[in-house]
Structure formats: structure tokens, C-alpha cells
Amino acid sequence: MGKGSQDYGERENTDKNLSIKDDFPAWSRDVKECEEHYGVSHKFGLTIDQVEKQRLKFGYNELEKHEGTSIFQLILEQFNDTLVRILLVAAIVSFVLAWYDGDEGGEMVITAFVEPLVIFLILIVNAIVGIWQESNAEKALDALKEIQSEHATVIREGKRISNLPAKELVPGDIVELRVGDKVPADMRVLSLKSSTFRVEQGSLTGESEAVSKTVKVVPENSDIQGKKCMVFAGTTVVNGICICLVTQTGMSTEIGQVHSQIHEAAQSEEDTPLKKKLNEFGENLTMIIGFICALVWLMNLNYFLNWEYVDGWPRNFKFSLEKCTYYFEIAVALAVAAIPEGLPAVITTCLALGTRKMAQKNALVRKLPSVETLGCTTVICSDKTGTLTTNQMSVTELVAMGSKAGTLRSFEVEGTTYNPFDGKISNWPVGRMDANLQMIAKIAAICNDSGIEQCGSHYVASGMPTEAALKVLVEKMGFPGGFNDGSSSSPKDVLRCCQLWNKLEQRIATLEFDHDRKSMGVIVNSSSGKKSLLVKGAVENLLERSSFIQLLDGSVVELDEYSKDHILLSLREMSTSALRCLGFAYKDDLSEFATYNGEDHPAHQILLDPANYYSIESRLIFVGLVGLKDPPRPEVRQAIKDCRTAGIRVMVITGDNKNTAEAICRDIGVFGPCEDISSRSLIGKDFMTLPNQKNHLQQSGGLLFSRAEPRHKQEIVRLLKEDGEVVAMTGDGVNDAPALKLADIGVAMGITGTEVAKEASDMVLADDNFSTIVAAVGEGRSIYNNMKAFIRYMISSNIGEVASIFLTAALGIPEGMIPVQLLWVNLVTDGPPATALGFNPPDKDIMKKPPRRSDDSLITPWILFRYLVIGLYVGLATVGVFIIWYTHDSFVGIDLSGDGHSLVTYSQLANWGQCHSWQNFSVSPFTAGSRTFTFDGNPCEYFHSGKIKASTLSLSVLVAIEMFNSLNALSEDSSLLTMPPWVNPWLLLAMSTSFGLHFLILYVPFLAQVFGIVPLSLNEWLLVVAVTFPVILIDEVLKFIGRCTTGLRYSHASNLSKHKEE
């Protein structure tokens, strides 16, 4: 994917020479070579002519604005869905037929238009939602532009230009960077104007701390983290001043490549597993509907087309357009019955309800389909810093000197945050701090530039994370004399002990940290007027410059080899646990600075040259060391274990160094404590050179990729997706955005995440916690099961409707229900129960089952068989009650003669079209509610307007049977005896709502007239219940068979899957 995105950049930028980056690796060339290559001097800068030539060649220093999809194209894309296309065709045909009926003076003109108009309304709402989602897709690119610098300080023709618009920079420009500046382009560091220069580039590289920059060359094949002499566009200067040379601008920068990769990933977004399955289902449905419609129409061919045979050949054809249109309308009604019009709306509602549930668990879903995709996640690719860890450095171990040379004391420090009241120090001598511990506390508090503030319930650090952790340690250590009683925790008291140390010992000079000596020192003036040097830094470096050690009682003895080896052994043990170690030392003998009082003192000249710091920090007195780390979140270990139980693999992809990442992975359970991980832990660059990368990714268990660049993350995600995995990718930085966009589920961090990462993601974690993803996966699985439940319910109901129309046509009896009644059932009556099934409680073992494969069938052969059995019964019941009313005056002891309707034989009912030729055929009037129907003028009307009571019974049976069927959908295999209806009270409420709506159209005269129905009597309702209740018994039998044959069916399915893979 990385290569692909680079190619894309080359295609789109043919007018810009992008080869400079490849042809001239500035990071591996010294300053003089770089200046010669660009024809520039760092003192004079480029001339105006040079700038113009460079701009013609490279263009402006800005990211491209890719042309968005036009609104017309977005509208067309909304009709790529197969179900939507079927609905559109059905609506158009229905509309044309309604128009034709109106022109011919047909009845119920208004109701004829209701059906197509409602379908059109559904399609319009669906398209609006789809367009709104699509239009938000490219916001990640806009967010990326916002992190670019707007102005830069540039030297051109020997003049310093302070506020040059950053977009006017060209390769070769000389730029000055200061603390707080955003880096405007990719640049080579030419010289440092301060002793140190540090840049916060974690959002681009994934590093957990600010990086010190240097002018020294690095190897040509260095990864982005290894380019210590380069600064990158979009990163921030946190310390120092330097002069740089612009090497890459615009789309050629590292951030420009991220821009291209995000755009390319956006172009290759795939449908969610559910949408693929629904499209597949829609295609099959199209074929089935087409076949049945054609079959029904052909079965009734003799009603509108007949002929005579003359000499063995058909002659004298007679065609009735009116009857042909009538049976075509029946075929269209069948199509409408077969299409689950309410399915898109119910799926959207269920997903929306899922987003609310997830929001309660701190998972904020930005794209509705992501809710369902989470359920079939097979691999979680997680960042380390801030997701698996707290992203808050903390001291975990403190080592102080013992009572005699060669002895050490070790204290375990609790707590994982910047909260000074989070945890304590084990075996700590409260109120009895000895001189050695006091000196450690003093150095940690004063030789420190960080701060901590309380924001609500959180504690936020400013400055370097390691220094902030040291200040937290000082607060936990307390102050001599018991000032730290822990009774107050107001913001002003957060660093009370540190403030007290700083009052006692005032800083008067700073020896800034630099990469060579790896230490920082401060000269302090104590209340007694004595000057001291306090130093912290890398333990090995401090030991080299130390001549003495301070013991427990404050006495100072010479640092012998035995003591030194003992300290180094302790250092190695802590380093093995991936702790970052810092040592502490001091010096009281400062002869040159004994009277130092500021810049006017002669000794101040010594401090202006960093080369002198090494000699000042010599003959030190070593006092102790600490081990720090970015600790794992406490709940992550259990979450990793839950993933393993749920069949989800966890891969850690981080920009951090290998040793630290491996130690964290062992801590949280990705790897075992003694497991050989040589084949499971690779540097990103090494992974890219593997001959068979897919084999590496197919290993069972956890994997680790450290020092990973954006293109490495993308390639890993792409390979996993190619292998059929459903990938969830977490990230917080700009460098993560392309992979977030490419993954099936991009998960951004809500607290530490950049806007670029959030806009590229499908889901944002409000608490930045890995365990939230695992909880969201469980919720996604539950939602998918519930969606299967209501799809099962709606499809079996629709099969019943198709069966009823098909049986009506096959038996030749009058049409039982008109299209508007079927539409009412599909959209209104079925809607509440289907939505309520989305509230089914999750199975208790939902996270103990392996994830479903993304290519698993939505409807298995067994489920389809059940659909057909239930659907056939629904059809038989709906048509059967119609026939019963016409042919019986009682059924299973229920008297049906109360309305006074006339009975006919089944033969008469099946041949009702020949009624006009029957001799002495007459029918008596019957009542329905307050209405009386008479047929004195035309007895054959008994099969037209007279069928209103039978139609009402059919519609009521269909509504009631679908309500009972919704109880069947509570579980795929569990009986109603083990999962009773009250486990989902919302379903009972929905059933009541649907029955209420049905009663409304039955007993409100105006609505009854619109829908062509009449009120029913008590006996007729008893008939409805008698005919519909068996649907529960039938499905209970089918569920019992399903439970008995589960093992057999699943083994067969897995064998088929293996054959497909082979």
C-alpha cells in the first residue's frame, strides 16, 4: 500500500519533481554537501531568482485538494444497493399501474398511489442518509491541512523574513525554528543555536517522547525515527533554536505522503460484511421474485389469452388487456410482498440503537455500519502508547544507597498516572526520610522543568513526561518533617513538596541537557548561601563522572569498583524489565561559582559554552537511581485474555523501540513471560523485507511490530484484509490515519488522538482504553445476532406473504389482499416488533465463541428451510381463512354464521370468474360492523366487493401470525420455554403497538375505508387466533430438530469452507 500511495503521488504530481527525496538523501550527507546540492548558504539563503525557479519546479508548499465526488455521482451511488434497485423498479411499475387504473376509471385511485409514493419516500430518506455519510468521508484530509504551519521565519538574500507564508517555501530555503513553532516543511538541521533542540513528532512517528535533533549524519537506509538530523512538517518544536534547510515541500513531505495514503485508502473502502450479505441476498431475491412473478402470470394466461385450434394450429386469438393488466398487478403485488420494504429502516434503527449502547461504554461510533462490522473482527491491530499503556510516565522503582558502600535499598513505587495521590511507596520510612533519600527528592524536584495540573478528575503534565513522573515521585516521598500528610488535594497543592524544595534551594543557572553527555544540571543557592550542583541523567554517564557516593546517613565515601558494579547490576535488572533509568548526583565543591549571582558574574561566560558542561559535571557524588515506564493500563491484561477466548488475535504495531514494546507485551499477556518471541517480534523495516509476509501474519497468537512507519502499518492491514481477516486498527497520530482509513474498523483515541486520526476513523474511544474496544466487539456481536433475528423474522413473514399470493393465484380464488394492505403490514405492523428484536439481551457466552467469518452465509440452508416451512404455513393460514369464511359456517367449534353471509362450494370459489354463467346463483346480504352488504343487482359482486370480510380476516391472520412469529425470532435455536417473551419486554410492547395500529385501521371508519377492510366480531377473532397460534408450535418443533442436528450441520459447513479455501 505504501508503494501504491507513492505511485499515486507521482501520477498526480507529474509537474512536480518528486525525485529529490530519493536522489538526494539529505540526512546521510553533511551540512556542506547539502548546501552545495541546493546551491545555498545558510547565512545568505536563496535569491529571489532561485526561489522562482524552485517554485516553477516544485509548486507551492501545500497539500493537494482532491476533487470530491459530485452530488450527482453520490446520488447514483445510493442506488448501487440491490434491494434499493428492486424497490425502485417495484415503485415505478406500481406508479404506472396506478396511473393506468386512474385513466381507466378504476376504483380506489388514492390508495393505488399510496404504495409507490411510500416506497419512493423510503428511497429518498435512504439516499439522503447515504449522501450525508459519504460527504463526511474526506474530512480527514481537511483536518490534516489544519496541522500545517501557516508562517515561517526565512533567510533570503541575507535578510531575515519573520512571517513568510509557509506555502511560499521552496526546497533550498533556510528556515529558523524556535520553541513553539510548527515545522513548515521537511528540513535538514544545519546548526543548533541552543545546546539542545527537541521536537515532538509522536503524532507522525509514534514515538512516546520528544526527540532530540542533531546535525550529525545518519545512515542512508535509516527509518523515519532514525533520521535525527531531519525535522518533519506538522511536528512541533518543544525546546531550543536551530537553523534548517528545506528539502521537501507539499506532497513530497512525510505528511504529504500520509495525505496521499489517506486519499488512496478512502478510494478503496469496501462494503461491510453485512452489506455484502444483504446485496447477495438481494440478488438472489431478484431472481426468485422474477421467477415467481413470471410463473404466476403464466399460470393465469388462460384468463386473458385464449385461442382455438384449426387444423392442429392455434387460430382466432382473443386477448383481454384488462385481465392481462389485472394479473400483472397481482404479479407486482407478489413482488411487493416479497420485498422487505421495512428492512433498510429497521437495520438503520438497530444500528443507531447499537451506537447508543456503545456510547455508554465510551465507544463513540462515527459510521453506523461499523457497529455490525465490529462483531466479526478477527484481528485487532493496536498501537501501544496511550492505548495499551496509560501514556503517563511513572516511576515504578527507586534505588537508594545503603548504610555502607556496596549496599543498595530498593523501593517499589505504586501508581500509574500523574496523580500524586495514586498509590504509595512500599516499605517507605514515613516521617523518617534519611539524608540520602532527601537528596534524591531534592534533585528530582529542582532539576526539573515540568509541571502538573489537575483538570477535573484528571492530572495533566506539562513538559517532559519523565520529569513529570519525577515530580509525582517527590510528592509520594513526602517532605522531611511530615508536611505531606495527604489531607489536601486541591490543584494548588498538587506539587506542594516540590514547591517547598524549590523554596529551600533556588535555581540560579541551568546546564541544559544534550545528547552527548546525556544529563541535565542546575546550580542552586541554598538558604544558607552555599552553592550546589544538582544533576540527573543516564546512569552509566553519571557513574563515569562520579568519584563518590552518598550513604544512607548522608556521609560521602569514595566510589569503588565494587559499589559501581553493584549499581550497574541493579541498572541492568531494571533495563531488562524495559524500565527507563535515570540517575541522580550532586556536587558541593563549586569553586568557580562560589559567588555566582547571575549574568554579570565572570563565571557566566563558562556557562555560555555547552562544551564546558562536561568538566563542571565532574567528580560528582552519586546518590541513587529510579526506573520509569509508561505503564500498561490495569484492565488491558484481562481484555487481551478475553480476546484470546473470543478467537480474536491481537497485534501490537508501535513506533516505539523494540525492547520497551516487548516488555509491555509480556506484561499485558500478548506474549508469555518466558515465551520465545524471536519469530513474533519484528522491526517494521525487517517485516517489509520478509520473502513471505503473509506466512508471518498467519501465525497464531500475538505479534509485535516495533519502530513501525505509516507505510508498514498500511501494508500489514492490507495483507490481513487480503487474507480474509476483518481488521480493527487503533491509532492516535497523523501517522496512523492511512491505516485507520484502510482498516475495516478504524479506532481513534478520543483524548490523545489528533483530529486527523479521528476524522479518518470509524469509531472514537472516549477513554483511550483498549478494553473498550473488546467491550465494543461484544456489543457488535450482540447487535449482529439481533439483526439476524429481525431479518429472520421479516424474511419468513415475507415468504408467507408471497406464499399467500402464489396460492391465491394457483388456486384461482379471488385476490385476498390488495397491495396497500401488504405495504401496511411490511412497513407499519412489522416495523415495531422487528425493531424491538434489536433489544434482545446478548448471549452469556457471546465472547466465548470464535468470530464469524465475513463470508459466512446470512441465511444457512437450514434457516432457509425453516423460513420456507414457516412461510408456507403463513401462506396456508392466510389463504385458508379466506376459503373458510366463504365455504364454512363454523370452524373447530367457532360459529361463523353470525353475519348472515352465504356459503359457496370450494369449486364455485375457485371458478368465481365464471359466476355470470351460473344458473340461479344468489347470495343473501351480510353485516360487518354497522355496514350491510347486499348483492341483489349483481350476485357476482359477492366475489369482488363482497370479499371485504374474507380479506379482513386474511389481513388479520397475517398480522397476528407475524406477531407470534416475532416470538419465534427471540432466539435462533432456544425454545420459548428457556427464553420466554419477557426477556425482551420491548418486544411485548412492540407487539401491543402493532396490534393497536391494526385495531386502529379496523375500527376507525375512515381508515377502514382507505384500507378496504371492515370490523371483526369476537368469534371471528377467535378464528384468527385458532389459525395463527400453531406457527409457534411448528417453529418449536423445528428449533428442537435444529438443536439435535447442530453438530452435524456445523461439521458439514466447516468441511465445505475448507474445500473452498483449498
Side-chain angles (χ1 to χ4, degrees), residues 347-606:
I347 286 175
T348 302
T349 305
C350 185
L351 293 175
L353 290 171
T355 63
R356 289 188 62 185
K357 287 183 186 176
M358 287 187 178
Q360 291 167 0
K361 297 182 179 180
N362 291 317
L364 311 176
V365 177
R366 298 182 66 249
K367 297 174 184 175
L368 279 184
S370 313
V371 177
E372 176 273 327
T373 310
L374 267 170
C376 53
T377 300
T378 57
V379 177
I380 298 177
C381 296
S382 178
D383 189 23
K384 176 186 73 70
T385 308
T387 310
L388 299 173
T389 64
T390 62
N391 199 23
Q392 297 187 22
M393 293 295 287
S394 63
V395 176
T396 60
E397 192 171 351
L398 166 62
V399 176
M401 298 299 111
S403 55
K404 58 182 181 180
T407 60
L408 298 174
R409 296 172 292 160
S410 182
F411 300 93
E412 189 178 326
V413 185
E414 299 172 356
T416 59
T417 67
Y418 292 133
N419 180 358
F421 308 98
D422 172 22
K424 58 184 180 179
I425 306 175
S426 60
N427 302 318
W428 188 249
V430 179
R432 296 180 290 108
M433 279 177 67
D434 54 66
N436 178 236
L437 293 175
Q438 287 183 39
M439 182 56 73
I440 291 172
K442 182 196 295 187
I443 298 169
I446 301 170
C447 190
N448 196 318
D449 293 323
S450 69
I452 292 173
E453 291 179 1
Q454 186 175 2
C455 298
S457 59
H458 296 286
Y459 289 80
V460 181
S462 56
M464 297 293 288
T466 48
E467 292 192 336
L470 292 179
K471 285 206 168 177
V472 173
L473 171 68
V474 173
E475 298 304 312
K476 291 176 181 177
M477 292 173 77
F479 194 80
F483 285 96
N484 187 35
D485 57 8
S487 60
S488 174
S489 59
S490 65
K492 65 181 180 181
D493 294 325
V494 167
L495 297 177
R496 187 170 49 162
C497 296
C498 292
Q499 290 164 5
L500 289 170
W501 280 116
N502 277 281
K503 281 181 184 176
L504 285 175
E505 311 275 341
Q506 295 180 346
R507 275 171 66 165
I508 55 176
T510 302
L511 283 66
E512 290 181 344
F513 175 92
D514 71 44
H515 198 66
D516 291 328
R517 69 183 215 286
K518 293 183 180 177
S519 62
M520 170 193 176
V522 293
I523 298 173
V524 297
N525 189 13
S526 67
S527 52
S528 62
K530 186 180 176 183
K531 305 293 188 297
S532 298
L533 173 67
L534 310 179
V535 185
K536 75 170 191 300
V539 179
E540 302 98 319
N541 295 52
L542 288 191
L543 282 172
E544 283 176 12
R545 302 202 295 275
S546 295
S547 303
F548 310 95
I549 56 172
Q550 183 196 50
L551 301 180
L552 180 148
D553 59 1
S555 58
V556 175
V557 298
E558 191 172 339
L559 174 64
D560 56 21
E561 281 302 316
Y562 177 73
S563 297
K564 188 174 182 179
D565 289 344
H566 207 51
I567 293 167
L568 288 173
L569 178 63
S570 180
L571 170 68
R572 278 193 294 274
E573 286 174 356
M574 287 197 280
S575 298
T576 305
S577 302
L579 296 182
R580 181 179 179 188
C581 298
L582 284 176
F584 303 104
Y586 75 102
K587 181 178 180 181
D588 284 331
D589 180 21
L590 293 173
S591 53
E592 298 128 314
F593 299 95
T595 58
Y596 182 80
N597 57 2
E599 294 182 7
D600 297 331
H601 193 276
H604 186 68
Q605 294 301 314
I606 301 172

Side-chain angles (χ1 to χ4, degrees), residues 7-55:
D7 294 342
Y8 176 85
E10 289 169 12
R11 290 197 302 271
E12 288 295 299
N13 295 280
T14 51
D15 59 326
K16 302 177 187 177
N17 185 351
L18 300 183
S19 61
I20 295 294
K21 186 172 183 179
D22 297 327
D23 292 348
F24 187 74
W27 57 90
S28 64
R29 302 290 185 267
D30 62 31
V31 171
K32 188 177 179 182
E33 280 183 87
C34 292
E35 287 185 342
E36 286 174 358
H37 179 82
Y38 289 97
V40 67
S41 157
H42 70 273
K43 292 181 179 177
F44 188 78
L46 294 174
T47 65
I48 299 302
D49 287 344
Q50 284 178 305
V51 169
E52 290 303 320
K53 284 180 183 175
Q54 292 289 77
R55 183 164 297 125

Side-chain angles (χ1 to χ4, degrees), residues 33 39 90 475 486 641 646 649 719 841 874:
E33 280 183 87
E475 298 304 312
K641 190 176 178 182
R649 290 192 293 152
L719 290 168
V874 172

Side-chain angles (χ1 to χ4, degrees), residues 658-718:
K658 189 176 181 182
N659 290 341
T660 304
E662 285 180 351
I664 291 292
C665 285
R666 288 190 190 277
D667 272 1
I668 61 178
V670 173
F671 302 134
C674 302
E675 183 182 351
D676 177 16
I677 57 172
S678 55
S679 64
R680 296 180 179 278
S681 173
L682 291 178
I683 292 171
K685 192 165 61 175
D686 294 343
F687 170 75
M688 297 297 280
T689 60
L690 287 179
N692 198 328
Q693 296 168 337
K694 283 190 179 180
N695 279 357
H696 182 79
L697 293 174
Q698 285 167 356
Q699 295 180 81
S700 59
L703 295 176
L704 169 64
F705 302 91
S706 43
R707 306 293 282 183
E709 296 180 28
R711 60 193 181 92
H712 301 156
K713 295 183 178 184
Q714 264 191 293
E715 187 66 10
I716 291 165
V717 172
R718 185 184 66 79

Side-chain angles (χ1 to χ4, degrees), residues 291-320:
F291 173 74
I292 294 176
C293 287
L295 186 62
V296 168
W297 204 41
L298 291 172
M299 282 170 62
N300 292 285
L301 186 67
N302 62 311
Y303 288 107
F304 58 84
L305 179 65
N306 49 59
W307 56 85
E308 296 174 358
Y309 282 94
V310 178
D311 298 329
W313 292 92
R315 296 281 191 274
N316 303 326
F317 287 93
K318 292 179 183 178
F319 176 73
S320 169

Side-chain angles (χ1 to χ4, degrees), residues 768-924:
D768 288 13
N769 199 328
F770 180 84
S771 62
T772 302
I773 305 172
V774 181
V777 168
E779 195 62 50
R781 289 186 177 189
S782 172
I783 288 165
Y784 179 76
N785 287 347
N786 291 348
M787 285 169 68
K788 274 180 73 177
F790 69 65
I791 290 170
R792 185 164 65 243
Y793 161 64
M794 293 189 86
I795 300 302
S796 61
S797 297
N798 281 68
I799 289 175
E801 292 167 21
V802 170
S804 68
I805 294 174
F806 183 79
L807 286 171
T808 300
L811 298 174
I813 62 176
E815 181 187 4
M817 287 176 286
I818 58 175
V820 73
Q821 292 171 348
L822 289 171
L823 197 66
W824 170 262
V825 172
N826 284 354
L827 287 178
V828 183
T829 317
D830 283 0
T835 306
L837 287 168
F839 289 96
N840 280 353
D843 296 339
K844 290 179 181 177
D845 61 346
I846 197 159
M847 286 298 283
K848 293 179 181 175
K849 298 175 182 175
R852 73 181 196 278
R853 291 183 62 87
S854 58
D855 58 354
D856 280 354
S857 296
L858 187 66
I859 301 170
T860 63
W862 169 245
I863 295 297
L864 180 60
F865 173 75
R866 276 175 54 184
Y867 286 172
L868 292 172
V869 172
I870 296 296
L872 184 60
Y873 180 76
V874 172
L876 285 171
T878 308
V879 174
V881 80
F882 187 92
I883 295 171
I884 287 167
W885 186 82
Y886 267 108
T887 59
H888 291 69
D889 58 3
S890 67
F891 183 76
V892 291
I894 301 168
D895 183 19
L896 303 176
S897 62
D899 58 4
H901 73 281
S902 300
L903 300 181
V904 297
T905 63
Y906 173 73
S907 176
Q908 286 177 314
L909 186 62
N911 295 287
W912 63 278
Q914 299 170 18
C915 171
H916 60 277
S917 63
W918 296 343
Q919 298 294 322
N920 302 319
F921 177 69
S922 63
V923 291
S924 56

Side-chain angles (χ1 to χ4, degrees), residues 160-177:
R160 190 171 179 273
I161 305 168
S162 295
N163 279 311
L164 183 81
K167 75 171 193 174
E168 294 186 15
L169 288 176
V170 295
D173 260 325
I174 304 298
V175 175
E176 181 182 276
L177 291 176

